[in-house]
Amino acid sequence: MTQTRTRLERGRGALGPALALVHTGRAPTRAVLTTELGVTRATAGAVAAELEALGLIEVDARPLGSAGAQGRPSHRLAIAPRGPVALAAQVHADGFRAALVGLGGAIVATAPGRMTVPADPAHVLDAVVEAGAELLRETGRRCVGAGLAVPSAVAEPEGTALNPLHIAWPAGAPVREHFTRSLAAAGIRGADGEPLTGHAGNDINLAALAEHRHGAGRGAQHLLCVATGHRGVGGALVLDGRLHTGSAGLALEVGHLTVNPEGPPCHCGSRGCLDIEADPLAFLGTAGRDPGPESSLLQQARDLIRGDYAEPSVRAAAEQLIDRLGLGLAGLVNILNPDRIILGGLHRELLEADPERLRAVVAERSLWGRSGGVPILPCTLDHGSLVGAAELAWQPVLDDPLAALGAA
Ligand SMILES: [Zn+2]
């Protein structure tokens, strides 16, 4: 008894790190968990059992083909299939999307909504939270927290949307506060039965965090992510697993790098910024297409590049955007010296349409690109911003599972 308690006390500090390993797919078996944590097999066993008792993971003792360190089959560790979820919400230039995201970055359920985002953030936040509440009712899952992704830098610690350029919100709108209020109004409560405090972050920052934990950014130490949202271009840097947000949450505003000095005026006051030279609207316009009302700008641009790349006007537009994007990336490579670049939104399609052209522009214009050849890869997650918003909500559970789930 005494021995068990000591083991569990020693194990409590390992619960969070153990959960993080299973969450990011780095501990598929108890043998790997033991090695990764640097603890005894008995401690790893107690830790896995505690996470299973909390309803977070499943320990499967049935033998599998592969053997553990001692030649015995190791217990497999998996995310509990009916475990708790985080409510994730995203607001973008064409409306919103709600999702429930489990451990492992798995999207359990999702619902989109299209609307012109009104100037009062409360309207769209109420709508997206209500869509999330409906998903919780339908699935009957327990909710551990809620995170919001917005197309704006989010100032910390205030939780305000500083520069919502492509939606009608006033600069400095207190989005986290509104989001928390919407959660309370929808009657959504945490695992402990208490009202939830919402989390909020920039959509591209959150996508980069999600890709680092679950997608194309895994294992990178200096990960640069550049992506289009539904409008505009954003960037993010993940250093040693942490988002680099700058002193006030405003770092990596890459959308306003000038990539065409003679280009059209940008809403920021400059000209020819990446934001207006390499986003879905720029692509549709350069290809001579008028955007229609049938789907989001991002979707229309994706459909065009995927479906009609053989058409000369589409190909020429793609090449122009690839060249401008490459110029921007080369500048960033010179400044940041990343060990990997990942591209999301329409930039993923531009890379896939002509990977050699983009890599050549970056290599030609960058010191580090020429000498080292920085890998440039497409993002792999669908709805990366939502998965990243869920990461914010999961973080307290990953830090201390017992305390966060009210089971201490
Ligand atoms: Zn600009």
Side-chain angles (χ1 to χ4, degrees), residues 98-195:
L100 306 183
V101 186
L103 280 170
I107 294 184
V108 168
T110 178
R114 281 176 53 74
M115 70 191 289
T116 305
V117 178
D120 181 354
H123 285 92
V124 67
L125 293 177
D126 280 349
V128 69
V129 166
E130 188 42 54
E134 183 60 33
L135 295 176
L136 283 170
R137 285 192 289 271
E138 283 169 10
T139 58
R141 297 288 191 105
R142 199 155 55 117
C143 182
V144 296
L148 168 70
V150 294
S152 161
V154 174
E156 293 297 344
E158 302 86 357
T160 50
L162 270 194
N163 58 343
L165 291 176
H166 299 288
I167 50 180
W169 292 351
V175 287
R176 191 167 56 209
E177 201 181 303
H178 280 302
F179 183 49
T180 297
R181 221 176 288 150
S182 300
L183 292 166
I188 299 172
R189 290 181 174 264
D192 55 4
E194 296 295 316

Side-chain angles (χ1 to χ4, degrees), residues 363-379:
E364 192 183 309
R365 303 263 182 170
S366 64
L367 215 54
W368 312 125
R370 246 197 324 275
S371 57
V374 189
I376 305 177
L377 305 173
C379 287

Side-chain angles (χ1 to χ4, degrees), residues 201-226:
N202 168 261
D203 50 6
I204 308 296
N205 275 354
L206 295 176
L209 184 64
E211 290 285 341
H212 186 268
R213 291 185 179 179
H214 307 293
R218 273 176 154 171
Q221 299 295 308
H222 293 78
L223 177 69
L224 171 66
C225 173
V226 173

Side-chain angles (χ1 to χ4, degrees), residues 165 255-257 265-276:
L165 291 176
H256 301 285
L257 277 174
C266 176
H267 34 259
C268 75
S270 182
R271 306 184 78 86
C273 296
L274 203 52
D275 213 61
I276 53 165

